[in-house]
Amino acid sequence: MILMKDIIREGHPTLRKRAEEVQLPLSEDDKKLAQDLLEYVINSQNDEMIEKYDLRPGVGIAAPQVNVAKRIFALHFDEESGENLSMIAINPKIVSHSVEKAYLSSGEGCLSVDRAIPGYVPRYARISVKAFDAEGNEFKMRLKGLPAIAFQHELDHLNGVMFFDHINPDNPFAEIENAIPIARETEE
């Protein structure tokens, strides 16, 4: 089980590395890693587990955040969030995206960043993605709103990019042209 002590923090070199493609079919180690990542985000949205294991809530976590430079991440939104999505994404790619942008009105957070970093993070409002699941089956889906933003946040982790790299350093809350604000309640 992944705990907060297993999550590396901002400044660690693995967070700035481009993660390696994962060999298919998945090794047992890679399958376990994928399941452990998904288990963390599910547990981190359960008040009992948060308290018992001192977890920080999140909707996504990527393998580089547990110091494994592989192209794997997990996302989980329960029905209460207004979304119903639970996925493991292996070798994920965005195959197309909207011209329209979106951003979280409250800014983004990250399990690997222990400080609040104010500012808008421009993302694509809608994306079409493809990836492989833990069984090695390819899937495609379209995402919008919070799931699209979370997918892009985690994909950035696989490319050595942190969310704050996207924030305008001169004016963190500058209006983003052709963008819609999205309200949210959980950290990435």
Side-chain angles (χ1 to χ4, degrees):
M1 181 174 161
I2 294 171
L3 300 172
M4 286 308 298
K5 68 175 178 54
D6 304 312
I7 297 173
I8 60 175
R9 301 305 203 281
E10 168 185 17
H12 193 290
T14 302
L15 291 173
R16 290 299 188 173
K17 258 205 275 198
R18 183 172 168 82
E20 300 290 321
E21 290 273 319
V22 179
Q23 293 298 312
L24 297 169
L26 287 183
S27 68
E28 287 307 312
D29 285 351
D30 288 343
K31 274 187 194 173
K32 181 174 181 352
L33 172 62
Q35 291 299 337
D36 287 350
L37 293 171
L38 184 59
E39 180 187 56
Y40 178 87
V41 284
I42 291 170
N43 288 342
S44 81
Q45 294 175 36
N46 175 316
D47 291 340
E48 221 172 87
M49 296 298 276
I50 290 170
E51 194 168 319
K52 185 174 180 181
Y53 295 106
D54 195 25
L55 304 177
R56 268 178 55 196
V59 295
I61 188 171
Q65 293 180 270
V66 292
N67 203 17
V68 179
K70 291 187 174 182
R71 299 187 77 76
I72 302 173
F73 67 72
L75 291 177
H76 180 77
F77 297 89
D78 60 20
E79 291 87 6
E80 281 178 35
S81 71
E83 305 291 343
N84 185 11
L85 175 70
S86 197
M87 77 156 73
I88 288 168
I90 298 177
N91 298 337
K93 290 178 175 51
I94 294 175
V95 290
S96 67
H97 61 78
S98 61
V99 172
E100 185 180 43
K101 298 281 176 97
Y103 61 91
L104 295 179
S105 52
S106 57
E108 290 185 21
C110 179
L111 295 168
S112 292
V113 178
D114 291 330
R115 61 194 172 108
I117 301 177
Y120 296 147
V121 180
R123 304 280 188 191
Y124 299 117
R126 292 173 305 286
I127 55 176
S128 292
V129 303
K130 72 177 185 179
F132 294 89
D133 65 18
E135 300 309 311
N137 302 308
E138 187 176 50
F139 65 89
K140 295 176 180 168
M141 61 181 14
R142 296 170 69 171
L143 301 171
K144 65 181 185 181
L146 188 55
I149 287 174
F151 190 99
Q152 291 168 82
H153 178 110
E154 299 312 327
L155 188 60
D156 272 355
H157 276 303
L158 305 185
N159 295 323
V161 176
M162 299 295 283
F163 76 91
F164 49 78
D165 297 343
H166 297 289
I167 296 173
N168 179 335
D170 302 322
N171 184 355
F173 294 101
E175 193 174 321
I176 299 165
E177 205 173 302
N178 195 20
I180 51 171
I182 294 173
R184 64 108 197 223
E185 291 165 28
T186 12
E187 272 191 57
E188 260 65 10

